[in-house]
Amino acid sequence: MTGSGPGPGPEHAGTQAEPEERGPAIGRGPRLVVAAGLVWLGSQLLVQRRSKTARHGAGALELPGGKLERGEGPRAALARELGEEWGPQATELTIGSVADVLHHVYPSPGPEVILIVLRVDARAWSGQRWRERIEPEPGVEVVAFELDELPLDEFLAADRPFMAAVRDGRVAAWMGQC
Ligand SMILES: Nc1nc2c([nH]c(=O)n2[C@H]2C[C@H](O)[C@@H](COP(=O)(O)OP(=O)(O)OP(=O)(O)O)O2)c(=O)[nH]1
């Protein structure tokens, strides 16, 4: 609602404002609820590069994860997505506490994303073992970075402020540090 008129008449009472009335940043794309993993391998983070043919954010870095299915909780969704994206041995990884909840509106017709970021402990794959264990989905590449090497500009826009906080040590790695 703009506030310049006399206010909503009875025919408008209780209805939602149209997206363009709520501000220019609100797009018409879908609103997605996504679970994603902040996967710690000792001092390193494991992240992935989206397929070059992805419909949205092709070639960008992101955290593993994906959309919650109807009736599915964030942990179950992340466990399922890790299995789908990184292969069956990803079930060895421990999903821990919520690191943050991010919100981002991509330019229209992109989605509005609510991203629940959960810590994941990958120490079971320490050293180079992760390279043998992971069977990435076709087109997806998994990459390990030390925090000071994180290429922030290459991440999906929703992730960048959060990844900057991770790089700067403002996000604890594991539950014991919370
Ligand atoms: N997995 C993941 N998705 C992210 C991150 N940041 C971010 O904006 N997203 C967005 C990209 C997608 O629009 C959405 C995740 O959806 P998804 O992984 O299930 O689906 P997708 O777009 O890759 O592919 P599709 O199944 O829709 O074809 O959340 C992130 O760090 N990890």
Side-chain angles (χ1 to χ4, degrees):
M1 188 164 54
T2 61
S4 56
E11 71 277 19
H12 292 113
T15 62
Q16 288 253 311
E18 283 300 309
E20 61 271 21
E21 292 177 306
R22 282 186 255 140
I26 311 295
R28 287 183 169 276
R31 182 161 66 180
L32 308 179
V33 182
V34 176
L38 186 65
V39 184
W40 292 94
L41 183 80
S43 64
Q44 293 186 313
L45 277 178
L46 291 183
V47 301
Q48 65 189 30
R49 194 172 292 283
R50 287 169 74 82
S51 155
K52 293 195 168 49
T53 57
R55 280 182 300 169
H56 165 68
L61 291 174
E62 66 172 5
L63 305 173
K67 296 184 277 291
L68 273 62
E69 292 179 354
R70 204 163 276 278
E72 187 179 48
R75 281 193 176 74
L78 180 56
R80 174 182 53 72
E81 290 282 351
L82 282 170
E84 289 171 10
E85 295 182 343
W86 288 9
Q89 295 194 60
T91 54
E92 293 171 2
L93 305 182
T94 307
I95 297 175
S97 55
V98 174
D100 208 343
V101 179
L102 315 181
H103 174 245
H104 189 78
V105 182
Y106 285 98
S108 190
E112 174 177 2
V113 178
I114 296 167
L115 199 70
I116 302 161
V117 183
L118 293 151
R119 297 179 174 88
V120 177
D121 185 354
R123 283 175 293 185
W125 288 352
S126 60
Q128 291 298 310
R129 262 182 289 172
W130 66 272
R131 291 187 192 279
E132 301 144 26
R133 305 285 169 93
I134 289 183
E135 299 168 45
E137 270 186 319
V140 169
E141 183 194 5
V142 180
V143 201
F145 288 108
E146 294 292 342
L147 294 192
D148 59 1
E149 295 171 346
L150 282 171
L152 299 181
D153 294 349
E154 294 183 32
F155 278 86
L156 289 175
D159 300 28
R160 285 178 210 150
F162 174 70
M163 294 312 291
V166 172
R167 180 200 57 190
D168 297 346
R170 288 180 276 126
V171 177
W174 196 239
M175 288 173 281
Q177 293 176 260
C178 299

